[in-house]
Amino acid sequence: MSEPLSFELSRPAVDPPRLPEAEVAGPAPADVLGREMLRARPPGLPRLSEPEIMRHYSRLASLNYSISENFYPLGSCTMKYNPVVNEAAAALSGFADLHPYQDEDSVQGALELMWRLERALCAIVGVERVTLQPAAGAHGEWTALRMIAAFHHSREENRTEVLVPDSAHGTNPASAALSGFHVIEVRSGDDGRISLADLESKLSPRTAALMLTNPNTLGLFEREILDIAEMVHATGAMLYYDGANLNAFMGICRPGDMGFDAVHMNLHKTFTTPHGGGGPGAGPVGVKSELVPFLPAPTVERTNGHLRLDFKRPQSIGRVRSFYGNFGMLVRAYTYILAMGGDGLSQASQDAVLSANYLRKLVEGDLDMPHEGPCMHEFVASAQNLHEEGVRALDIAKALLDRDFYAPTVYFPLVVPEAIMVEPTETESKATLDAFAGAIKEIVAKAKSDPQSLHEEPTKLPVGRLDEVSAARRINAYLQGLSEDPVLRWKAPAEAPETAPQQTLQESPC
Amino acid sequence: MPYLVHSPEDRSAMLETLGVRSMNDLLVDIPQSLRLESLQLPNGLSEFETMAQVSSLAERNHVYPDRLTFRGGGIYRRFIPAAVSAVTSKPEFYTAYTPYQAEASQGTLQAIFEFQTLIAELTALDVSNASLYDGATAVAEAAMMAYVHTGRNEVLVSGYVHPEYVQVLRAFGEGRGIKVRKGAEPNKKTAAIIFQQPDFLGLLVDARRLTQAAHDVGALAIACVDPISLAMLAPPGEYGADIAVGEGQQLGLSPSFGGPHVGFIACKRELVRKLPGRLVGTAHDAHGRRGFVLALAAREQHIRREKATSNICTNHSLCALAAAVYLTYMGPYGLRQIADVSFRRAHSLADRLARLQGWEPAFPERQFLNEFPFRVPKARSVVRKLARKGILGGLEVNRWFRELKDVLTFTCTEVNDPQALDELMAVLES
């Protein structure tokens, strides 16, 4: 099944939607603005009626997997159920219809929500203050590194290096580089945890920070975290926590107590705001007291029950996003925290850990397990055991799609060959986990009996495996000027004028 | 407990399968000294109690009706067709993940591909990306592109660009050693000239001249544009700008106290490899069927790590979907009508405001579309008086620009009906 593009469905005869008329005696644009200011031809937007539009997007929706219908065992992504009440909360007119430049007195409820969310996040991760401004996890990482840079700068220390483990998320080194740091990689030891010897050798007076996620991307808790923190702090560097894996231990332990100085959180992972097919998310950053002066402005302050935005922060790194962050996502996360409470969040993390260990146990006879358990909220298996059959992690991922499961994260972390990273979360039932393990067993059996057929999966989805190599070749040809097919957008065929409106604006109905 | 699925029996059975006695046996790697008794948070609430608490916070905010909102400054009240939320509230869209597995994500991928095409058409540039966080970070990302492309480390901000966008640009620039200068002349160190059309005050700038000035010194021209204005104004691609960016809130997204909305970025063909974030392209399967995939990933953080063009990973896909539905609903002539009605009403309002005692256009020689600055006697008390009457009046821009004392910017769109204009005038005349 496939659906044409809106541009391909477009018909020039379709009337524009009925919209308000001006009903005032104002001048027309052409009366006031010079001809060179005006657009010569209308933009080539599609022309469709509302019924056609609704059907188009409904059909597109049916081509998607989503957490509402499918299990998403995506490691490091924490795809859990998105409570529907969160959506109702964010849609309340008192939030959705607020203009960001209203006077403070008229937005006390919004500021109170931000303040309370900040307090709750502080309690969960063990920090002094939290900025809610960053729009996503990577944005939060970068914000934290800017604060760390400002901290060292304020002490007139020239620290130019950020240490990142080889198992880290790709955003870590990217955020560090964008923050102006040199990235130094720290190796993992054989047990999958950071090598203290290698860390020792790379720490120096040039080190600004070590970026770490705990549990690490292999799903293993860094047992020696207190020693790591001591080593890092002894050199005058800071310890940064990548909160992608926070779902492992809410209510069990806190990054702040482990010695982390800055902590980012993904509200779209741990705190159930929906992923939206790739955002919007929110990536608040919590900091210990020594970094508080450098928080982005404004912060929300509360005095005698009155809330205000504090813009006067002389040491602030400035502003990292317009307005106050992805407020709608903050409403959703706060709603979730209220509903779960401290008791619910603790149980959620315990269930996440239990489910991951359970699923790991169910599939350990089918796939390689390069590291010893127990794991925390996720585990990394490897398809190396199917090497002789010529079956790879990608084949297993694609075969799962045919069995109604989304695929785990594959080929990450980079330190495990043929990695298959599975994170079940607390909102998948035992029955779902059993069924998933059953699917893995069946796929592995097929890998041994009929490996060729696995290379052809998926066969039950709207499209089969797409040839990305030839797509890349076509893009290259376009970028080098050897082709006029941009590949990255639709373009009206030259001989089909009906798809690109030819009328001049003077002929338009308005 | 809400949203948790395991029963106590399930938990026992799972522990038994694992051959352990309790959860503690699974948490052995966590040093005992770090273990918490409990979180310092209240216990959870029923959905009814949760909504009661959240609603009481919502009720502590004052919501101005859209027709009586004359304040803009980057966020505007617009008519939002019901089709937009009907589509974005489909769980298949809003609860899907980033489309890593293309075969199971064709809905999201195709919608983004359509969004990319819509933005490219609006801006008359070659290629658009899948979305960015907001207008501010879009400006900053464009400046990074110019820095990398030209190898120069100064960007010039021309005129009244949104002050918060400039603040974000400065914060981004600091990490990369990029200097942000305002009101300076371009020279051989200039990587880009950044201008906003119309600018933060609503005034039109000479985009052609600024673009030429950038090109004269070998710099890029970055146009920060209002997407609805592009139904009417010459688009960046037409006057030769290299990169167009902007804020897409007006394309079907509610103000929501400033977010989430969507940033967009489009550029000329020769800059495509420097684009930040995700790009969707077409590809084919073994049966020759067309599908959509994430393309040119070698620019991105998960492949290039510290050498990536940007660190952006999660972007604003669902907001991009909203914008795509909005633009498809409007079509070229609907969008033009929205721009036209806003233009006429704003000009009608400006005429009427100019007749008030002591009120005058702050820049009488400059043209505008649907937002404009007025110098107003006792601006602050005027705004307060309007608020008392339930009207969200002009924006005091003095808080960002010292030279603009007592200047208010007013905005008019299709939601401010003629009676709303009369109501505004009646309060101001009283």
Side-chain angles (χ1 to χ4, degrees):
Chain A
M1 188 188 142
S2 71
E3 170 69 7
L5 290 163
S6 56
F7 297 90
E8 294 162 340
L9 295 166
S10 173
R11 292 175 298 121
V14 171
D15 281 338
R18 185 175 286 177
L19 293 162
E21 298 293 336
E23 299 178 81
V24 294
D31 302 339
V32 177
L33 305 176
R35 207 178 172 77
E36 75 292 348
M37 291 295 290
L38 295 173
R39 187 164 191 140
R41 279 165 40 149
L45 309 181
R47 301 180 68 180
L48 288 168
S49 64
E50 182 174 322
E52 292 167 302
I53 293 169
M54 292 311 294
R55 185 163 292 164
H56 173 64
Y57 285 107
S58 296
R59 284 182 168 169
L60 287 187
S62 76
L63 306 182
N64 261 5
Y65 276 21
S66 66
I67 194 68
S68 63
E69 276 191 84
N70 307 84
F71 172 34
Y72 264 67
L74 273 170
S76 257
C77 301
T78 315
M79 283 295 279
K80 46 168 122 170
Y81 170 68
N82 304 138
V84 287
V85 68
N86 295 355
E87 300 305 305
L92 289 170
S93 173
F95 297 132
D97 295 328
L98 275 196
H99 193 287
Y101 289 148
Q102 284 185 213
D103 300 334
E104 246 164 43
D105 286 344
S106 70
V107 295
Q108 287 291 301
L111 297 178
E112 174 83 29
L113 184 142
M114 291 169 74
W115 188 83
R116 287 192 200 171
L117 176 61
E118 179 183 344
R119 296 326 309 161
L121 295 176
C122 284
I124 294 165
V125 300
V127 293
E128 180 87 12
R129 292 294 307 260
V130 168
T131 173
L132 302 171
Q133 230 179 77
H139 199 202
E141 292 176 7
W142 170 85
T143 300
L145 289 169
R146 293 305 309 144
M147 286 191 261
I148 290 170
F151 168 79
H152 291 310
H153 186 73
S154 74
R155 294 154 56 104
E156 293 175 2
E157 289 189 13
N158 186 28
R159 293 176 177 262
T160 53
E161 295 174 357
V162 165
L163 308 188
V164 177
D166 53 8
S167 63
H169 298 111
T171 48
N172 288 185
S175 299
L178 287 177
S179 230
F181 290 111
H182 297 295
V183 178
I184 312 273
E185 198 166 89
V186 183
R187 277 200 300 276
S188 304
D190 292 339
D191 68 346
R193 293 171 171 89
I194 194 168
S195 156
L196 262 58
D198 198 47
L199 175 62
E200 178 88 73
S201 74
K202 300 210 166 135
L203 278 167
S204 82
R206 294 183 303 278
T207 311
L210 168 66
M211 299 179 82
L212 206 61
T213 186
N214 192 19
N216 63 24
T217 57
L218 296 163
L220 304 172
F221 194 88
E222 295 284 356
R223 291 185 204 114
E224 291 166 306
I225 184 62
L226 294 169
D227 297 330
I228 293 170
E230 203 177 306
M231 285 165 66
V232 169
H233 290 149
T235 64
M238 293 219 146
L239 194 56
Y240 169 80
Y241 181 72
D242 171 342
N245 293 345
L246 179 60
N247 208 48
F249 54 52
M250 286 185 293
I252 300 170
C253 54
R254 308 191 299 179
D257 301 336
M258 297 172 201
F260 287 96
D261 304 288
V263 175
H264 100 259
M265 293 152 262
N266 293 298
L267 300 188
H268 48 293
K269 293 181 179 178
T270 321
F271 298 99
T272 68
T273 77
H275 269 270
V285 178
V287 292
K288 294 271 188 65
S289 54
E290 63 271 26
L291 288 174
V292 168
F294 308 100
L295 283 169
T299 54
V300 179
E301 305 295 336
R302 192 173 192 267
T303 346
N304 301 328
H306 182 84
L307 293 122
R308 64 185 176 85
L309 291 163
D310 182 11
F311 292 90
K312 291 203 181 82
R313 303 187 62 82
Q315 287 185 282
S316 166
I317 58 161
R319 180 182 271 289
V320 302
R321 190 204 180 284
S322 56
F323 313 113
Y324 324 112
N326 282 344
F327 179 75
M329 307 331 268
L330 308 182
V331 175
R332 290 170 172 89
Y334 179 67
T335 305
Y336 173 70
I337 291 172
L338 271 186
M340 292 298 276
D343 53 341
L345 293 175
S346 304
Q347 188 63 51
S349 281
Q350 292 188 37
D351 282 2
V353 172
L354 177 60
S355 292
N357 277 286
Y358 176 72
L359 189 52
R360 185 179 188 276
K361 180 84 180 171
L362 296 188
V363 300
E364 71 183 1
D366 306 303
L367 295 168
D368 277 357
M369 290 296 162
H371 302 100
E372 255 183 59
C375 62
M376 293 294 287
H377 69 308
E378 66 185 5
F379 64 90
V380 176
S382 164
Q384 275 292 74
N385 60 323
L386 303 173
H387 182 73
E388 274 180 27
E389 287 81 7
V391 170
R392 306 194 56 201
L394 185 72
D395 298 311
I396 293 175
K398 299 299 183 193
L400 281 164
L401 300 180
D402 256 354
R403 286 152 184 83
D404 280 338
F405 296 106
Y406 201 81
T409 301
V410 288
Y411 301 106
F412 183 83
L414 310 176
V415 292
V416 173
E418 299 297 324
I420 297 177
M421 187 189 205
V422 181
E423 179 180 1
T425 86
E426 70 278 12
T427 63
E428 297 299 337
S429 68
K430 180 171 173 295
T432 300
L433 304 180
D434 291 340
F436 179 79
I440 292 277
K441 267 184 214 314
E442 190 244 310
I443 293 164
V444 170
K446 199 171 176 188
K448 291 180 174 156
S449 64
D450 183 10
Q452 191 47 42
S453 73
L454 275 189
H455 297 314
E456 280 148 30
E457 294 196 24
T459 58
K460 297 173 188 161
L461 287 161
V463 287
R465 289 192 204 186
L466 293 162
D467 184 354
E468 296 180 21
V469 176
S470 115
R473 209 175 295 134
R474 285 161 53 232
I475 295 171
N476 279 334
Y478 169 74
L479 295 182
Q480 289 164 16
L482 303 173
S483 149
E484 286 311 304
D485 173 10
V487 189
L488 301 168
R489 63 177 283 192
W490 178 83
K491 222 169 179 181
E495 55 287 340
E498 76 273 13
T499 45
Q502 291 296 309
Q503 296 97 322
T504 63
L505 283 176
Q506 284 66 36
E507 293 162 19
S508 78
C510 45
Chain B
M1 273 174 206
Y3 326 131
L4 299 184
V5 292
H6 296 330
S7 67
E9 292 73 25
D10 291 333
R11 292 187 185 108
S12 307
M14 291 162 83
L15 288 170
E16 196 174 317
T17 303
L18 288 166
V20 297
R21 273 171 305 158
S22 77
M23 270 308 294
N24 278 335
D25 296 336
L26 298 177
L27 301 172
V28 286
D29 288 331
I30 303 176
Q32 205 54 43
S33 64
L34 289 174
R35 291 292 299 275
L36 292 178
E37 279 294 309
S38 63
L39 282 173
Q40 294 301 307
L41 284 177
N43 283 344
L45 301 174
S46 68
E47 178 176 321
F48 177 78
E49 294 160 308
T50 301
M51 264 316 258
Q53 280 211 23
V54 173
S55 302
S56 79
L57 288 176
E59 283 156 18
R60 277 175 61 191
N61 298 319
H62 182 83
V63 172
Y64 293 89
D66 53 3
R67 58 185 290 278
L68 296 177
T69 296
F70 295 92
R71 194 170 293 184
I75 298 291
Y76 303 89
R77 298 301 291 264
R78 293 265 182 202
F79 157 63
I80 302 177
V84 174
S85 65
V87 171
T88 56
S89 62
K90 284 180 186 293
E92 297 90 335
F93 282 126
Y94 86 83
T95 78
Y97 196 70
T98 302
Y100 289 132
Q101 297 293 337
E103 301 88 344
S105 315
Q106 286 296 298
T108 293
L109 286 163
Q110 183 171 331
I112 295 173
F113 183 82
E114 292 181 3
F115 171 80
Q116 291 176 182
T117 307
L118 290 160
I119 295 298
E121 289 290 341
L122 264 186
T123 55
L125 281 163
D126 295 320
V127 171
S128 148
N129 90 345
S131 74
L132 294 170
Y133 309 137
D134 67 349
T137 53
V139 166
E141 292 278 12
M144 297 301 131
M145 287 173 70
Y147 162 72
V148 174
H149 184 73
T150 61
R152 303 172 179 185
N153 71 344
E154 280 184 17
V155 294
L156 301 191
V157 173
S158 168
Y160 289 108
V161 173
H162 197 302
E164 296 197 4
Y165 294 13
V166 178
Q167 289 165 6
V168 172
L169 171 64
R170 282 190 198 284
F172 266 71
E174 219 157 285
R176 297 294 293 269
I178 298 171
K179 291 189 198 111
V180 179
R181 301 176 64 191
K182 283 180 84 172
E185 285 301 310
N187 59 46
K188 292 287 176 206
K189 285 191 219 149
T190 308
I193 295 182
I194 300 171
F195 58 87
Q196 192 171 7
Q197 176 76 314
D199 69 13
F200 178 65
L201 306 178
L203 302 169
L204 292 173
V205 303
D206 191 343
R208 283 175 207 278
R209 185 184 64 75
L210 290 163
T211 298
Q212 192 55 52
H215 292 169
D216 284 347
V217 296
L220 301 186
I222 298 173
C224 179
V225 290
D226 169 339
I228 291 188
S229 77
L230 296 182
M232 176 183 286
L233 291 184
E238 209 175 290
Y239 51 78
D242 304 280
I243 305 174
V245 293
E247 168 60 63
Q249 176 268 327
Q250 298 188 75
L251 307 176
L253 295 160
S254 58
S256 203
F257 205 42
H261 301 136
V262 60
F264 61 84
I265 186 164
C267 68
K268 289 181 176 168
R269 189 194 300 213
E270 56 266 32
L271 293 167
V272 169
R273 280 188 199 285
K274 315 237 164 42
L275 271 174
R278 303 194 194 289
L279 282 167
V280 174
T282 56
H284 297 84
D285 70 6
H287 302 286
R289 290 178 294 193
R290 179 182 69 183
F292 301 87
V293 291
L294 294 173
L296 285 182
R299 299 163 299 112
E300 290 189 70
Q301 47 77 26
H302 59 286
I303 311 278
R304 292 273 285 179
R305 298 175 77 84
E306 67 270 24
K307 296 194 179 65
T309 55
S310 165
N311 66 341
I312 191 168
C313 180
T314 292
N315 52 40
H316 279 203
S317 227
L318 195 71
C319 303
L321 172 67
V325 177
Y326 178 90
L327 288 170
T328 306
Y329 178 94
M330 289 299 170
Y333 298 110
L335 198 70
R336 172 66 203 242
Q337 170 127 357
I338 290 290
D340 192 84
V341 169
S342 305
F343 182 94
R344 288 173 194 253
R345 290 197 183 150
H347 281 75
S348 162
L349 177 63
D351 279 349
R352 294 169 76 177
L353 293 178
R355 292 198 284 268
L356 291 170
Q357 184 68 37
W359 286 53
E360 55 185 39
F363 296 87
E365 74 290 1
R366 304 270 302 271
Q367 301 289 355
F368 61 92
L369 298 184
N370 64 311
E371 188 167 22
F372 53 87
F374 255 70
R375 213 169 275 280
V376 175
K378 296 186 188 141
R380 179 154 298 175
S381 61
V382 168
V383 170
R384 285 204 185 123
K385 180 173 161 188
L386 289 169
R388 280 197 298 275
K389 299 286 179 186
I391 297 174
L392 189 60
L395 177 65
E396 281 182 87
V397 293
N398 188 217
R399 64 189 260 203
W400 296 286
F401 302 103
R402 209 178 303 162
E403 72 277 17
L404 299 180
K405 194 170 176 329
D406 277 329
V407 172
L408 299 179
T409 56
F410 284 84
T411 294
C412 243
T413 75
E414 73 282 2
V415 303
N416 306 106
D417 55 70
Q419 294 73 34
L421 268 57
D422 292 344
E423 287 170 47
L424 171 71
M425 291 310 299
V427 176
L428 293 175
E429 283 158 1
S430 67

